Amino acid sequence: MDTRGKYAPGGAAPAVVASAAAKGGGAGRAGAPVLEVKGLDKRFGGVHALRGATLSLTRPGVVHCLVGENGSGKSTMLGVLSGQVQPDAGEVRLEGESVSFGHPPAAVKAGIAMVSQETAVARDLSVAENILLGARLIRRHGRIDWAATRRRAKEVLDWLKLDYDVEAKVGRLRPDQQQMVEIARAVSIDAKVLILDEPTSFLSEDEVERLFQAVRDLSSRGVSTIFVSHRLPELFEIADELTVLRDGSTVSNGPIGEYDSGRIVHDMVGEPESEIVRTHRTGSGVAGVPRLRVEGLGDGLGVRATDLEVAPAEIVGVAGLAGSGRSELLELIFGARPMAAGSIFIDGEELSRPSPGRAIAAGIGFVPAERKADGVVLTMSVLDNLTMAHSSSLPWWRRPQRRRQAEGLAQTMSTLRIKAASPGSLVGTLSGGNQQKVALGKWLVNNPRLLLLEEPTRGVDVRAKAEIHALLKELADQGMGLLVSSSENEELLGLCDRILVMYRGEIVSVLTAEAASEIELARLSGGTSS
């Protein structure tokens, strides 16, 4: 499916971007693929992450999508290409020449720029400093030329049609804006190959469109892109070619026109899309005292005078664009954000002076959007992460005892289908989908009455998404109340009993799942009431 005609180039690229195309094929062999991976093999202890995997970007300017389940080997392959992982066997060729990267700067120097799934920005530095990070800051007479640095950063932002203050601290930007700053840094590098790993996870629809425009413009200038996404519609929107990994091996590859969603899912999981587990609710809330009642809640900034209820055995969704207040709402309820006004009640009892500790003691769990930064501790084991929330509410002298009892967490791992060599495996060695299951599982060990979830399936594959949805519905059927914030309206429609729509810090509409549609949610989220 060729979509090149859909987007016109977004204006002239800044010199730092355009120089990649000027280099043409470089010193590589004529007619050779831009990037070729042959027989890549990698083990991490007992985990065989890559098993002779292959990949080929056939020509300059190609947009090549890499897909597969979590744990299929995608992250490991990207780690090899970006210099973060050293393979045990196999070969990487760039423009026909064999290359090996001992560290990430070597990959960047060779012309491979990567934007990782989890945002990697220097929060205390400015937007300009992040775009031209480190040695790429413009210097004059041995000193940093700040005026020239800001001008160059502004050129890149203008090319991406981003109206950001180049002097603003990145830490003050929203997560989606931080992601776009990282993308701006990547496209500003003199790159032959741009790797985008789940780049749209934090982006609004407008920002996704701007990103796609930038990718197509780079493509027209000879820069090739490896694009990773679990959102199947995006593949057909942006891809020229596709490679599917399963269990560390390449199972298929070819032009995107040879695929439909059914074939992609089949190649990813080894079975038809229709056979992936999907469940239906047996109920939709229980009358009586609400699990959660919020009255006049606000923080004086992103959330204003909000009222809502979640019944036992009910899943309530929160829809809205980035910056609508839906993320801040969950943080307020959990006590992770200071409350300026309002009241919170759990099973009829007021939660006074909310804080994460008091929220946990009251039976509230919170799965945040950024799992690596806030949801799990990557350098700790699966066992330690799963018992973290429960042990936090115990006296210190009981925590070792609880740890010994937690050896029985094999059942929890089985229920969540967490793929790990053992409970002692470091969470940082797991795939993104399994990390997300650990972030959820640590609250289930605590047996909460109310579960708050922000982007519960961000960056996970179709099977893991179906498994997580099935588990959340099962928890609701058992009487738990769930409040789910998601940027994917399709997810809310398939999961929730009711959906609240937020716009500029306020709930502007409450819809039953039956009465809602993607078009209606998009319309209300954009501030259109009729």
Side-chain angles (χ1 to χ4, degrees), residues 10 94 98 107 110 140 149 153 159 194 197 207 305 328 354 382 427-428 496 524:
L94 188 62
S98 184
R140 185 180 182 185
T149 292
W159 184 67
L194 175 64
D197 186 8
E207 286 169 324
E328 293 82 354
V382 174
V427 170
C496 302
L524 292 168

Side-chain angles (χ1 to χ4, degrees), residues 289-293 343-352 362 364 449:
V289 178
R291 277 278 185 260
L292 169 69
R293 187 172 89 251
S343 302
I344 301 170
F345 299 87
I346 304 297
D347 286 341
E349 296 289 329
E350 184 171 3
L351 180 63
S352 61
I364 303 175
R449 293 182 281 178

Side-chain angles (χ1 to χ4, degrees), residues 53 97 132 217 301 426 511:
E97 301 292 335
L132 298 169
D217 201 9
L301 297 170
L426 297 183
L511 305 172

